[in-house]
Amino acid sequence: MAMATTSLEPWISGKINGDSAKNLTRTQIENYQLQKLQETLLWAVSNSKFYKQLYSGLACEMGTLKDLLQLPFTTPEDLRQNPLDFLCVSQNEINRIVTLQSSGTTGKPKRLFFTEADQELTIDFFHHGMLTLVKPGDRVLIMLPGGTPGSVGDLLRLGLDRAGITGIVHGLVSNLESTLEQIQENKINALVGIPTQVLSLARFKDSQGRPVPLSLSRVLLSTDYVPLAIAQELEKTWGCKVFNHYGMTEMGLGGGLECEGFCGYHLREADLYLEIIDPRSGLPVEEGQRGEIVLTTLTRRGMPLIRYRTGDLSRFIPEPCVCGTVLKRLELLKSRERVYLTETECLTMADFDEVLFALPKVMDFEVTLTKGGVGKESYLQLRVQLKGSFSLATQNDLSDTLDKISAIRNARQLGQLKVMLLLISSTELIVRKSTAKRQILDKRGSD
Ligand SMILES: [Zn+2]
């Protein structure tokens, strides 16, 4: 059976060519992006105090997309310092403000502003993007925050509705049994959620030790990078297909979506322009090399972001996708923030996810690094929430499993790292208050 091309392609062709059935080429995409970039720059320097200052004395005329390289970056710190200076419209044209608390630090939160037209772009992306995995008549449970108008769950529901798909906003999961009941009662056949929360649903067993039978054919994982171990277990448990979505609030929530080739996200190329740079030098990497994702919005009016450093690491996959699209393909995100364990060894949350979620007893966990007593020694504290009871053997298993992470194994052998395990047995889920990215808490710098 021929594989369906990503549903993003006809959508983007419709935006660029005015006809979704028309063949789309790279040249058309790039010409369109250049034109939108020119419009965005003009709009930003004419209306935003921040960009007026940032680009003063610089030539903002773009002859090619490469000319963008001459402009300085914008950073999350810029957003924290003075978000209102980014605004290109008056505050009463703003329909939605999203506040992102920075984790772990006492820094100011980030604020992002969206007009109604900006939100419409997101709904449109959800409408057309979701058709990659669900079809009219399907019933989707949205396990993302959705209580307020303009929240991610709300916009997704609106997008699904336009496609003839029923979206039911559930919010984040706090009680597994009640969520599972809702899935059954509402005849849900597709889920959208956060990886660890969806995994907990799949691992749930009733009082007789049986899994709850569900007929789910599609799962979309969002809001966090997705450990491969989680995707594989969901596929096995439910016999479903698991799709990954990449997005951040700064992108207008939606960024890119996997196709049935399951090998990288296709991007919202009519609304976003992404670059990959070397995070140290700030220069573009060679085609296909890994680096930091830099975001430029092409169609946003309220608060356009130009050359915004996301902190996310990935690469463009140069080979064509098996689905046959001309859209670019971004490799699935493997890691968020890197934490240096020793001078040469570093860790990411993804390293822990891959080995720990492969253990069936693990429901969730937290990692904290603190300073050791002597020299360069560090303590790694791992708080693990386990399903059911545990024994000394469980503890030894976990300790051995951590050695599968080479950075940990090496640092332990060199005597530079001590591991402390804290095991918690609980039937209730660690309740997450937000969809904030899970990350390693590095407390070694603070006394
Ligand atoms: Zn594809």
Side-chain angles (χ1 to χ4, degrees):
M1 201 176 73
M3 182 182 298
T5 302
T6 171
S7 63
L8 295 180
E9 184 172 317
W11 174 56
I12 290 174
S13 186
K15 283 177 162 238
I16 293 178
N17 292 319
D19 179 358
S20 60
K22 224 173 176 176
N23 199 35
L24 186 66
T25 65
R26 278 306 321 158
T27 310
Q28 286 168 349
I29 296 171
E30 279 154 27
N31 288 342
Y32 182 86
Q33 289 180 324
L34 179 61
Q35 183 204 325
K36 290 291 167 191
L37 181 65
Q38 288 161 339
E39 289 171 18
T40 299
L41 279 169
L42 184 64
W43 177 253
V45 290
S46 316
N47 297 290
S48 142
K49 195 175 154 200
F50 173 81
Y51 288 111
K52 220 173 278 175
Q53 281 174 358
L54 187 69
Y55 300 152
S56 70
L58 292 173
C60 287
E61 278 106 61
M62 300 280 123
T64 71
L65 286 169
K66 284 224 160 36
D67 292 340
L68 188 60
L69 298 175
Q70 289 154 23
L71 295 181
F73 294 116
T74 54
T75 65
E77 197 48 35
D78 293 330
L79 273 186
R80 280 191 196 100
Q81 288 315 323
N82 216 339
L84 289 173
D85 284 354
F86 276 80
L87 279 193
C88 289
V89 298
S90 72
Q91 282 194 62
N92 54 29
E93 285 179 69
I94 295 300
N95 218 29
R96 167 93 177 152
I97 304 172
V98 180
T99 303
L100 300 169
Q101 291 296 340
S102 48
S103 61
T105 62
T106 52
K108 290 183 187 172
K110 278 188 277 187
R111 287 222 158 79
L112 288 131
F113 298 82
F114 299 93
T115 64
E116 196 180 347
D118 294 336
Q119 291 181 295
E120 173 56 34
L121 293 167
T122 301
I123 299 171
D124 197 36
F125 168 68
F126 288 154
H127 166 191
H128 294 276
M130 287 301 286
L131 287 169
T132 287
L133 56 144
V134 282
K135 55 185 187 313
D138 281 345
R139 300 176 62 82
V140 182
L141 195 70
I142 303 167
M143 303 187 300
L144 297 173
T148 48
S151 57
V152 60
D154 184 51
L155 298 183
L156 179 55
R157 181 184 59 80
L158 292 169
L160 286 168
D161 187 57
R162 287 182 191 177
I165 299 158
T166 304
I168 297 171
V169 179
H170 172 284
L172 294 176
V173 180
S174 57
N175 180 316
L176 294 171
E177 277 180 284
S178 100
T179 302
L180 288 161
E181 256 169 50
Q182 272 198 51
I183 293 173
Q184 289 181 314
E185 278 170 17
N186 289 299
K187 300 191 167 38
I188 296 295
N189 66 346
L191 299 179
V192 179
I194 297 169
T196 53
Q197 294 217 318
V198 181
L199 180 71
S200 300
L201 286 175
R203 289 189 166 174
F204 181 84
K205 302 267 190 330
D206 67 15
S207 51
Q208 267 90 50
R210 290 176 306 219
V212 177
L214 301 176
S215 42
L216 297 168
S217 63
R218 297 288 190 273
V219 170
L220 178 67
L221 299 177
S222 191
T223 316
D224 213 341
Y225 69 89
V226 179
L228 191 63
I230 291 189
Q232 286 171 342
E233 181 160 342
L234 298 179
E235 282 164 10
K236 217 175 80 193
T237 307
W238 290 326
C240 62
K241 287 185 176 173
V242 178
F243 293 76
N244 287 308
H245 169 253
Y246 169 52
M248 51 169 57
T249 308
E250 288 91 327
M251 292 175 176
L253 304 167
L257 182 66
E258 270 191 301
C259 67
E260 293 216 18
F262 299 107
C263 200
Y265 322 94
H266 294 306
L267 301 169
R268 243 177 113 177
E269 292 193 64
D271 294 312
L272 306 173
Y273 179 73
L274 301 191
E275 303 167 63
I276 309 283
I277 61 150
D278 179 329
R280 281 156 302 187
S281 69
L283 296 172
V285 297
E286 295 281 316
E287 172 81 4
Q289 294 300 301
R290 187 181 303 280
E292 181 177 348
I293 300 169
V294 171
L295 160 73
T296 298
T297 63
L298 299 172
T299 46
R300 281 237 297 279
R301 302 290 279 180
M303 188 185 204
L305 294 176
I306 301 167
R307 300 207 84 204
Y308 176 78
R309 294 188 65 153
T310 64
D312 284 347
L313 301 174
S314 185
R315 69 181 190 106
F316 284 121
I317 304 173
E319 295 78 28
C321 181
V322 288
C323 83
T325 183
V326 294
L327 298 182
K328 279 194 178 182
R329 198 154 49 119
L330 187 74
E331 191 171 75
L332 296 191
L333 261 73
K334 287 216 179 72
S335 51
R336 295 264 173 187
E337 294 176 28
R338 256 191 275 199
V339 172
Y340 277 87
L341 200 52
T342 65
E343 272 170 26
T344 51
E345 305 277 357
C346 61
L347 282 173
T348 68
M349 200 62 173
D351 295 326
F352 290 94
D353 286 346
E354 295 297 347
V355 298
L356 291 175
F357 284 125
L359 302 174
K361 277 178 103 70
V362 172
M363 298 293 273
D364 208 345
F365 62 89
E366 285 169 351
V367 184
T368 312
L369 280 170
T370 52
K371 241 190 306 212
V374 281
K376 287 180 175 171
E377 194 186 55
S378 298
Y379 284 126
L380 185 147
Q381 190 195 79
L382 181 67
R383 228 175 125 235
V384 192
Q385 188 189 21
L386 296 163
K387 190 171 55 177
S389 59
F390 54 84
S391 61
L392 191 61
T394 316
Q395 185 149 353
N396 291 337
D397 267 2
L398 278 165
S399 182
D400 291 348
T401 298
L402 285 178
D403 275 340
K404 289 184 185 163
I405 303 171
S406 64
I408 291 187
R409 188 176 61 237
N410 296 339
R412 272 172 139 179
Q413 279 168 0
L414 292 169
Q416 293 177 342
L417 181 74
K418 283 213 169 69
V419 173
M420 292 182 287
L421 290 173
L422 194 65
L423 308 186
I424 309 153
S425 172
S426 166
T427 50
E428 278 295 304
L429 210 55
I430 292 181
V431 177
R432 299 199 177 281
K433 289 187 192 72
S434 74
T435 56
K437 315 287 182 216
R438 299 165 59 248
Q439 46 188 226
I440 300 169
L441 296 175
D442 190 354
K443 294 187 176 166
R444 291 172 298 178
S446 54
D447 286 302

